[in-house]
Amino acid sequence: MATRAVTTLDKAEVLDGLFTVWDAIDALLAGLSESQWLAPTPLPGWDVRAVVSHIIGTESFLQGIAPPEPDIDVNGLDHVRNGVGAMNECWVRHFAGQPGGSVLQRYRAVIEDRRRVLGAMSEEEWNAETRTPAGPDSYGRFMRIRVFDCWMHEQDIRVAIEQPSSDDELSGVAARLSLDEIAATLGFVVGKLAQAPDGARVEFDLTGRLARSVRVSVDGRAQVVEDFGGREPTATIRVNALQFTRLAGGRPMCPIRPQDIDLGEDKDLAAQILEKLNFVI
């Protein structure tokens, strides 16, 4: 049986994005008051400290560090849906009540360890197949997913403390790689989850500082394509790219109004796709 090819990604570029977003989060956290550490984020049940605790936990897991024992059965919490969510909550509860400065010190320590390990990784190790949140793929793909996850959490923190990214920050490598990761899932979202019919041609027209177009063609199966071969899309979703990332992550930055999104001609299919977008988180 044929083995699916893994995603080959440039190690230097992905690590540039990952280290950049880690630095951006550090810079945000360094100036926070204790009340800002407790500011609620768009994620149910999580304040800024909880988001940082989650990042610490994930990077600790990748270093082979087991989660701390929780003081309650975390599986009973409303926002815990699976084993990964339960592991996240172990770290969140572990750091609950600790001052922000202590959490920041732990964040810096685990990030320093991860930088060292990733920097020393060989190209063979980087391209080797491993388990990722998107299924079996290269370790490099896993690290692009880490860029996406950490960048999304950077935006969660920014929303909580009301410090939105500047245009220059949105032009950086971390934002671009995060959109690359979202784009890589859109064939599955359009074909498998939204059940777009054979022959559908869906264009995501993303506007603003992160502007790009992503096209998905359904021909037996749905896949991302460069173009539609001169044919027009049968469904179009036109939305600000930053807002699109928030929709894709299941946490819109603000209530969505009809005028915020242009659904093109096949509004039913476009609306169905939008409804399934939050699969990618």
Side-chain angles (χ1 to χ4, degrees):
M1 183 172 64
T3 302
R4 188 180 69 171
V6 299
T7 306
T8 303
L9 298 169
D10 183 80
K11 179 187 172 188
E13 180 183 47
V14 174
L15 291 189
D16 182 21
L18 189 55
F19 296 169
T20 296
V21 72
W22 283 345
D23 287 344
I25 291 172
D26 190 306
L28 285 172
L29 301 177
L32 296 190
S33 66
E34 288 301 325
S35 62
Q36 287 175 309
W37 278 93
L38 300 178
T41 72
L43 299 171
W46 280 12
D47 54 20
V48 170
R49 181 172 56 200
V51 167
V52 180
S53 300
H54 157 58
I55 298 172
I56 292 170
T58 302
E59 300 305 330
S60 295
F61 167 77
L62 292 171
Q63 289 289 82
I65 300 171
E69 287 294 326
D71 56 340
I72 64 169
D73 181 6
V74 295
N75 291 290
L77 298 173
D78 289 343
H79 55 278
V80 173
R81 302 177 182 176
N82 51 41
V84 173
M87 182 187 74
N88 292 338
E89 206 62 37
C90 290
W91 289 98
V92 169
R93 296 195 67 81
H94 177 72
F95 287 108
Q98 294 192 25
S102 297
V103 179
L104 179 54
Q105 284 182 349
R106 183 64 178 271
Y107 170 83
R108 286 172 171 168
V110 72
I111 292 306
E112 182 178 352
D113 286 344
R114 290 294 292 151
R115 285 181 192 267
R116 175 179 50 79
V117 169
L118 290 168
M121 183 172 284
S122 68
E123 289 294 329
E124 183 179 6
E125 292 170 316
W126 179 259
N127 292 319
E129 184 173 307
T130 189
R131 293 175 60 185
T132 84
D137 210 326
S138 66
Y139 197 85
R141 169 77 188 282
F142 196 171
M143 291 307 99
R144 189 176 71 180
I145 294 171
R146 294 302 305 136
V147 177
F148 162 70
D149 186 60
C150 291
W151 184 80
M152 290 291 287
H153 288 313
E154 177 196 339
Q155 304 312 310
D156 293 329
I157 294 168
R158 289 185 177 281
V159 171
I161 64 175
E162 299 180 352
Q163 290 187 28
S165 296
S166 68
D167 282 351
D168 285 345
E169 288 164 336
L170 289 177
S171 299
V173 62
R176 176 170 54 78
L177 289 171
S178 297
L179 268 175
D180 287 349
E181 183 54 41
I182 295 173
T185 71
L186 292 180
F188 181 81
V189 171
V190 169
K192 183 71 172 180
L193 298 183
Q195 294 290 298
D198 204 44
R201 296 181 297 278
V202 181
E203 181 165 14
F204 297 85
D205 183 11
L206 308 181
T207 64
R209 193 66 174 182
L210 294 171
R212 69 166 69 181
S213 292
V214 182
R215 299 171 185 86
V216 177
S217 178
V218 184
D219 183 10
R221 68 184 184 92
Q223 57 184 332
V224 176
V225 296
E226 287 294 325
D227 57 60
F228 295 132
R231 294 174 294 177
E232 293 297 314
T234 60
T236 303
I237 297 172
R238 185 172 294 108
V239 62
N240 177 273
L242 181 59
Q243 181 67 287
F244 178 75
T245 67
R246 307 306 285 168
L247 291 169
R251 58 253 235 214
M253 295 175 64
C254 57
I256 302 298
R257 304 166 300 172
Q259 61 266 38
D260 291 330
I261 300 177
D262 180 358
L263 297 183
E265 293 299 321
D266 190 343
K267 290 181 170 52
D268 289 341
L269 176 57
Q272 192 169 329
I273 293 167
L274 278 178
E275 186 179 329
K276 302 297 183 180
L277 264 181
N278 65 358
F279 158 80
V280 302
I281 188 59

